[in-house]
PDB file of all heavy atoms in Angstrom:
ATOM      1  N   ALA Q   8     -11.629   3.820   5.185  1.00  0.00           N
ATOM      2  CA  ALA Q   8     -12.010   2.433   4.899  1.00  0.00           C
ATOM      3  C   ALA Q   8     -11.004   1.784   3.940  1.00  0.00           C
ATOM      4  O   ALA Q   8     -10.637   2.356   2.914  1.00  0.00           O
ATOM      5  CB  ALA Q   8     -13.405   2.398   4.297  1.00  0.00           C
ATOM      6  N   VAL Q   9     -10.577   0.572   4.279  1.00  0.00           N
ATOM      7  CA  VAL Q   9      -9.624  -0.164   3.438  1.00  0.00           C
ATOM      8  C   VAL Q   9     -10.429  -1.052   2.494  1.00  0.00           C
ATOM      9  O   VAL Q   9     -10.632  -2.247   2.727  1.00  0.00           O
ATOM     10  CB  VAL Q   9      -8.637  -0.984   4.295  1.00  0.00           C
ATOM     11  CG1 VAL Q   9      -7.619  -1.695   3.414  1.00  0.00           C
ATOM     12  CG2 VAL Q   9      -7.921  -0.057   5.272  1.00  0.00           C
ATOM     13  N   VAL Q  10     -10.898  -0.443   1.419  1.00  0.00           N
ATOM     14  CA  VAL Q  10     -11.729  -1.142   0.438  1.00  0.00           C
ATOM     15  C   VAL Q  10     -11.282  -0.732  -0.961  1.00  0.00           C
ATOM     16  O   VAL Q  10     -10.571   0.263  -1.144  1.00  0.00           O
ATOM     17  CB  VAL Q  10     -13.230  -0.804   0.620  1.00  0.00           C
ATOM     18  CG1 VAL Q  10     -13.728  -1.259   1.988  1.00  0.00           C
ATOM     19  CG2 VAL Q  10     -13.466   0.703   0.450  1.00  0.00           C
ATOM     20  N   GLY Q  11     -11.700  -1.508  -1.961  1.00  0.00           N
ATOM     21  CA  GLY Q  11     -11.446  -1.151  -3.352  1.00  0.00           C
ATOM     22  C   GLY Q  11      -9.975  -1.032  -3.690  1.00  0.00           C
ATOM     23  O   GLY Q  11      -9.166  -1.901  -3.349  1.00  0.00           O
ATOM     24  N   VAL Q  12      -9.636   0.068  -4.352  1.00  0.00           N
ATOM     25  CA  VAL Q  12      -8.258   0.303  -4.794  1.00  0.00           C
ATOM     26  C   VAL Q  12      -7.295   0.274  -3.618  1.00  0.00           C
ATOM     27  O   VAL Q  12      -6.215  -0.325  -3.693  1.00  0.00           O
ATOM     28  CB  VAL Q  12      -8.161   1.654  -5.539  1.00  0.00           C
ATOM     29  CG1 VAL Q  12      -6.710   2.048  -5.750  1.00  0.00           C
ATOM     30  CG2 VAL Q  12      -8.884   1.578  -6.879  1.00  0.00           C
ATOM     31  N   LYS Q  13      -7.679   0.908  -2.510  1.00  0.00           N
ATOM     32  CA  LYS Q  13      -6.799   0.952  -1.344  1.00  0.00           C
ATOM     33  C   LYS Q  13      -6.531  -0.457  -0.817  1.00  0.00           C
ATOM     34  O   LYS Q  13      -5.381  -0.809  -0.497  1.00  0.00           O
ATOM     35  CB  LYS Q  13      -7.410   1.812  -0.239  1.00  0.00           C
ATOM     36  CG  LYS Q  13      -6.530   1.934   0.998  1.00  0.00           C
ATOM     37  CD  LYS Q  13      -7.198   2.734   2.102  1.00  0.00           C
ATOM     38  CE  LYS Q  13      -7.232   4.200   1.796  1.00  0.00           C
ATOM     39  NZ  LYS Q  13      -7.730   4.992   2.948  1.00  0.00           N
ATOM     40  N   GLN Q  14      -7.549  -1.272  -0.735  1.00  0.00           N
ATOM     41  CA  GLN Q  14      -7.376  -2.647  -0.244  1.00  0.00           C
ATOM     42  C   GLN Q  14      -6.448  -3.438  -1.149  1.00  0.00           C
ATOM     43  O   GLN Q  14      -5.555  -4.159  -0.678  1.00  0.00           O
ATOM     44  CB  GLN Q  14      -8.747  -3.341  -0.153  1.00  0.00           C
ATOM     45  CG  GLN Q  14      -8.692  -4.746   0.459  1.00  0.00           C
ATOM     46  CD  GLN Q  14      -8.493  -5.845  -0.577  1.00  0.00           C
ATOM     47  OE1 GLN Q  14      -8.553  -5.611  -1.774  1.00  0.00           O
ATOM     48  NE2 GLN Q  14      -8.229  -7.051  -0.090  1.00  0.00           N
ATOM     49  N   ARG Q  15      -6.613  -3.305  -2.464  1.00  0.00           N
ATOM     50  CA  ARG Q  15      -5.802  -4.088  -3.397  1.00  0.00           C
ATOM     51  C   ARG Q  15      -4.333  -3.671  -3.361  1.00  0.00           C
ATOM     52  O   ARG Q  15      -3.431  -4.518  -3.408  1.00  0.00           O
ATOM     53  CB  ARG Q  15      -6.373  -3.955  -4.808  1.00  0.00           C
ATOM     54  CG  ARG Q  15      -7.744  -4.610  -4.977  1.00  0.00           C
ATOM     55  CD  ARG Q  15      -8.160  -4.690  -6.430  1.00  0.00           C
ATOM     56  NE  ARG Q  15      -8.439  -3.387  -7.023  1.00  0.00           N
ATOM     57  CZ  ARG Q  15      -9.620  -2.784  -6.968  1.00  0.00           C
ATOM     58  NH1 ARG Q  15     -10.628  -3.349  -6.308  1.00  0.00           N
ATOM     59  NH2 ARG Q  15      -9.804  -1.616  -7.574  1.00  0.00           N
ATOM     60  N   ARG Q  16      -4.102  -2.378  -3.269  1.00  0.00           N
ATOM     61  CA  ARG Q  16      -2.708  -1.914  -3.212  1.00  0.00           C
ATOM     62  C   ARG Q  16      -2.029  -2.366  -1.923  1.00  0.00           C
ATOM     63  O   ARG Q  16      -0.895  -2.874  -1.942  1.00  0.00           O
ATOM     64  CB  ARG Q  16      -2.674  -0.393  -3.314  1.00  0.00           C
ATOM     65  CG  ARG Q  16      -3.082   0.168  -4.664  1.00  0.00           C
ATOM     66  CD  ARG Q  16      -3.144   1.683  -4.608  1.00  0.00           C
ATOM     67  NE  ARG Q  16      -3.446   2.300  -5.889  1.00  0.00           N
ATOM     68  CZ  ARG Q  16      -3.571   3.596  -6.082  1.00  0.00           C
ATOM     69  NH1 ARG Q  16      -3.429   4.430  -5.045  1.00  0.00           N
ATOM     70  NH2 ARG Q  16      -3.838   4.088  -7.276  1.00  0.00           N
ATOM     71  N   LEU Q  17      -2.706  -2.168  -0.795  1.00  0.00           N
ATOM     72  CA  LEU Q  17      -2.130  -2.558   0.494  1.00  0.00           C
ATOM     73  C   LEU Q  17      -1.925  -4.062   0.572  1.00  0.00           C
ATOM     74  O   LEU Q  17      -0.903  -4.541   1.084  1.00  0.00           O
ATOM     75  CB  LEU Q  17      -3.024  -2.074   1.635  1.00  0.00           C
ATOM     76  CG  LEU Q  17      -3.090  -0.562   1.846  1.00  0.00           C
ATOM     77  CD1 LEU Q  17      -4.141  -0.210   2.884  1.00  0.00           C
ATOM     78  CD2 LEU Q  17      -1.735  -0.009   2.262  1.00  0.00           C
ATOM     79  N   LYS Q  18      -2.890  -4.817   0.059  1.00  0.00           N
ATOM     80  CA  LYS Q  18      -2.770  -6.276   0.079  1.00  0.00           C
ATOM     81  C   LYS Q  18      -1.541  -6.734  -0.699  1.00  0.00           C
ATOM     82  O   LYS Q  18      -0.785  -7.608  -0.245  1.00  0.00           O
ATOM     83  CB  LYS Q  18      -4.029  -6.909  -0.508  1.00  0.00           C
ATOM     84  CG  LYS Q  18      -4.034  -8.439  -0.497  1.00  0.00           C
ATOM     85  CD  LYS Q  18      -5.354  -8.973  -1.064  1.00  0.00           C
ATOM     86  CE  LYS Q  18      -5.359 -10.497  -1.043  1.00  0.00           C
ATOM     87  NZ  LYS Q  18      -6.654 -11.028  -1.599  1.00  0.00           N
ATOM     88  N   ALA Q  19      -1.322  -6.137  -1.859  1.00  0.00           N
ATOM     89  CA  ALA Q  19      -0.162  -6.514  -2.679  1.00  0.00           C
ATOM     90  C   ALA Q  19       1.145  -6.217  -1.960  1.00  0.00           C
ATOM     91  O   ALA Q  19       2.083  -7.034  -1.977  1.00  0.00           O
ATOM     92  CB  ALA Q  19      -0.225  -5.790  -4.015  1.00  0.00           C
ATOM     93  N   LEU Q  20       1.235  -5.062  -1.323  1.00  0.00           N
ATOM     94  CA  LEU Q  20       2.454  -4.711  -0.586  1.00  0.00           C
ATOM     95  C   LEU Q  20       2.671  -5.657   0.586  1.00  0.00           C
ATOM     96  O   LEU Q  20       3.783  -6.170   0.803  1.00  0.00           O
ATOM     97  CB  LEU Q  20       2.357  -3.270  -0.085  1.00  0.00           C
ATOM     98  CG  LEU Q  20       2.465  -2.165  -1.139  1.00  0.00           C
ATOM     99  CD1 LEU Q  20       2.040  -0.831  -0.558  1.00  0.00           C
ATOM    100  CD2 LEU Q  20       3.888  -2.074  -1.691  1.00  0.00           C
ATOM    101  N   LEU Q  21       1.624  -5.899   1.366  1.00  0.00           N
ATOM    102  CA  LEU Q  21       1.753  -6.725   2.571  1.00  0.00           C
ATOM    103  C   LEU Q  21       2.043  -8.180   2.223  1.00  0.00           C
ATOM    104  O   LEU Q  21       2.865  -8.828   2.884  1.00  0.00           O
ATOM    105  CB  LEU Q  21       0.485  -6.610   3.410  1.00  0.00           C
ATOM    106  CG  LEU Q  21       0.250  -5.228   4.045  1.00  0.00           C
ATOM    107  CD1 LEU Q  21      -1.168  -5.110   4.586  1.00  0.00           C
ATOM    108  CD2 LEU Q  21       1.274  -4.960   5.147  1.00  0.00           C
ATOM    109  N   GLN Q  22       1.386  -8.699   1.192  1.00  0.00           N
ATOM    110  CA  GLN Q  22       1.625 -10.092   0.809  1.00  0.00           C
ATOM    111  C   GLN Q  22       3.048 -10.306   0.334  1.00  0.00           C
ATOM    112  O   GLN Q  22       3.597 -11.401   0.479  1.00  0.00           O
ATOM    113  CB  GLN Q  22       0.639 -10.515  -0.275  1.00  0.00           C
ATOM    114  CG  GLN Q  22      -0.764 -10.797   0.234  1.00  0.00           C
ATOM    115  CD  GLN Q  22      -1.672 -11.317  -0.861  1.00  0.00           C
ATOM    116  OE1 GLN Q  22      -1.490 -11.024  -2.050  1.00  0.00           O
ATOM    117  NE2 GLN Q  22      -2.664 -12.105  -0.473  1.00  0.00           N
ATOM    118  N   ASN Q  23       3.650  -9.276  -0.228  1.00  0.00           N
ATOM    119  CA  ASN Q  23       5.009  -9.405  -0.757  1.00  0.00           C
ATOM    120  C   ASN Q  23       6.064  -8.803   0.161  1.00  0.00           C
ATOM    121  O   ASN Q  23       7.227  -8.707  -0.219  1.00  0.00           O
ATOM    122  CB  ASN Q  23       5.075  -8.769  -2.143  1.00  0.00           C
ATOM    123  CG  ASN Q  23       4.326  -9.575  -3.177  1.00  0.00           C
ATOM    124  OD1 ASN Q  23       4.869 -10.516  -3.742  1.00  0.00           O
ATOM    125  ND2 ASN Q  23       3.065  -9.221  -3.429  1.00  0.00           N
ATOM    126  N   ASP Q  24       5.647  -8.397   1.365  1.00  0.00           N
ATOM    127  CA  ASP Q  24       6.568  -7.914   2.396  1.00  0.00           C
ATOM    128  C   ASP Q  24       7.391  -6.723   1.924  1.00  0.00           C
ATOM    129  O   ASP Q  24       8.581  -6.602   2.246  1.00  0.00           O
ATOM    130  CB  ASP Q  24       7.490  -9.060   2.842  1.00  0.00           C
ATOM    131  CG  ASP Q  24       7.861  -8.972   4.319  1.00  0.00           C
ATOM    132  OD1 ASP Q  24       7.165  -8.245   5.061  1.00  0.00           O
ATOM    133  OD2 ASP Q  24       8.839  -9.631   4.727  1.00  0.00           O
ATOM    134  N   ILE Q  25       6.742  -5.826   1.155  1.00  0.00           N
ATOM    135  CA  ILE Q  25       7.417  -4.646   0.613  1.00  0.00           C
ATOM    136  C   ILE Q  25       7.091  -3.421   1.460  1.00  0.00           C
ATOM    137  O   ILE Q  25       5.922  -3.137   1.732  1.00  0.00           O
ATOM    138  CB  ILE Q  25       7.007  -4.389  -0.845  1.00  0.00           C
ATOM    139  CG1 ILE Q  25       7.427  -5.561  -1.733  1.00  0.00           C
ATOM    140  CG2 ILE Q  25       7.620  -3.084  -1.369  1.00  0.00           C
ATOM    141  CD1 ILE Q  25       6.958  -5.437  -3.173  1.00  0.00           C
ATOM    142  N   ASN Q  26       8.112  -2.704   1.878  1.00  0.00           N
ATOM    143  CA  ASN Q  26       7.926  -1.441   2.592  1.00  0.00           C
ATOM    144  C   ASN Q  26       7.515  -0.345   1.605  1.00  0.00           C
ATOM    145  O   ASN Q  26       8.082  -0.255   0.512  1.00  0.00           O
ATOM    146  CB  ASN Q  26       9.230  -1.021   3.266  1.00  0.00           C
ATOM    147  CG  ASN Q  26       9.675  -2.005   4.330  1.00  0.00           C
ATOM    148  OD1 ASN Q  26       9.217  -1.960   5.455  1.00  0.00           O
ATOM    149  ND2 ASN Q  26      10.580  -2.912   3.956  1.00  0.00           N
ATOM    150  N   LEU Q  27       6.556   0.472   2.001  1.00  0.00           N
ATOM    151  CA  LEU Q  27       6.224   1.663   1.221  1.00  0.00           C
ATOM    152  C   LEU Q  27       6.689   2.885   1.994  1.00  0.00           C
ATOM    153  O   LEU Q  27       6.277   3.108   3.139  1.00  0.00           O
ATOM    154  CB  LEU Q  27       4.716   1.758   0.968  1.00  0.00           C
ATOM    155  CG  LEU Q  27       4.270   3.046   0.256  1.00  0.00           C
ATOM    156  CD1 LEU Q  27       4.839   3.108  -1.165  1.00  0.00           C
ATOM    157  CD2 LEU Q  27       2.746   3.162   0.229  1.00  0.00           C
ATOM    158  N   VAL Q  28       7.542   3.677   1.357  1.00  0.00           N
ATOM    159  CA  VAL Q  28       8.084   4.895   1.959  1.00  0.00           C
ATOM    160  C   VAL Q  28       7.758   6.055   1.034  1.00  0.00           C
ATOM    161  O   VAL Q  28       8.021   5.992  -0.174  1.00  0.00           O
ATOM    162  CB  VAL Q  28       9.613   4.774   2.159  1.00  0.00           C
ATOM    163  CG1 VAL Q  28      10.183   6.072   2.714  1.00  0.00           C
ATOM    164  CG2 VAL Q  28       9.929   3.608   3.084  1.00  0.00           C
ATOM    165  N   ALA Q  29       7.162   7.103   1.604  1.00  0.00           N
ATOM    166  CA  ALA Q  29       6.749   8.246   0.791  1.00  0.00           C
ATOM    167  C   ALA Q  29       7.174   9.551   1.450  1.00  0.00           C
ATOM    168  O   ALA Q  29       7.070   9.703   2.669  1.00  0.00           O
ATOM    169  CB  ALA Q  29       5.230   8.234   0.599  1.00  0.00           C
ATOM    170  N   TYR Q  30       7.639  10.475   0.625  1.00  0.00           N
ATOM    171  CA  TYR Q  30       7.968  11.824   1.085  1.00  0.00           C
ATOM    172  C   TYR Q  30       7.335  12.810   0.115  1.00  0.00           C
ATOM    173  O   TYR Q  30       7.655  12.807  -1.077  1.00  0.00           O
ATOM    174  CB  TYR Q  30       9.477  12.029   1.158  1.00  0.00           C
ATOM    175  CG  TYR Q  30      10.122  11.221   2.247  1.00  0.00           C
ATOM    176  CD1 TYR Q  30      10.769  10.018   1.960  1.00  0.00           C
ATOM    177  CD2 TYR Q  30      10.067  11.648   3.581  1.00  0.00           C
ATOM    178  CE1 TYR Q  30      11.348   9.268   2.976  1.00  0.00           C
ATOM    179  CE2 TYR Q  30      10.638  10.899   4.589  1.00  0.00           C
ATOM    180  CZ  TYR Q  30      11.272   9.710   4.279  1.00  0.00           C
ATOM    181  OH  TYR Q  30      11.832   8.955   5.285  1.00  0.00           O
ATOM    182  N   HIS Q  31       6.459  13.653   0.656  1.00  0.00           N
ATOM    183  CA  HIS Q  31       5.733  14.598  -0.177  1.00  0.00           C
ATOM    184  C   HIS Q  31       6.409  15.970  -0.138  1.00  0.00           C
ATOM    185  O   HIS Q  31       7.376  16.206  -0.869  1.00  0.00           O
ATOM    186  CB  HIS Q  31       4.266  14.656   0.264  1.00  0.00           C
ATOM    187  CG  HIS Q  31       3.417  15.504  -0.618  1.00  0.00           C
ATOM    188  ND1 HIS Q  31       2.614  16.518  -0.132  1.00  0.00           N
ATOM    189  CD2 HIS Q  31       3.267  15.516  -1.966  1.00  0.00           C
ATOM    190  CE1 HIS Q  31       1.993  17.094  -1.144  1.00  0.00           C
ATOM    191  NE2 HIS Q  31       2.373  16.510  -2.269  1.00  0.00           N
ATOM    192  N   LEU Q  32       5.975  16.890   0.703  1.00  0.00           N
ATOM    193  CA  LEU Q  32       6.589  18.220   0.759  1.00  0.00           C
ATOM    194  C   LEU Q  32       8.089  18.180   1.061  1.00  0.00           C
ATOM    195  O   LEU Q  32       8.854  18.956   0.475  1.00  0.00           O
ATOM    196  CB  LEU Q  32       5.864  19.095   1.776  1.00  0.00           C
ATOM    197  CG  LEU Q  32       4.449  19.538   1.398  1.00  0.00           C
ATOM    198  CD1 LEU Q  32       3.842  20.399   2.506  1.00  0.00           C
ATOM    199  CD2 LEU Q  32       4.430  20.295   0.074  1.00  0.00           C
TER     200      LEU Q  32
END
């Protein structure tokens, strides 16, 4: 579900046209 913290973070990235790139292992 895209709610709460997840919604706010994604909204900020999408509104500002910022790519999120992540590499874990």
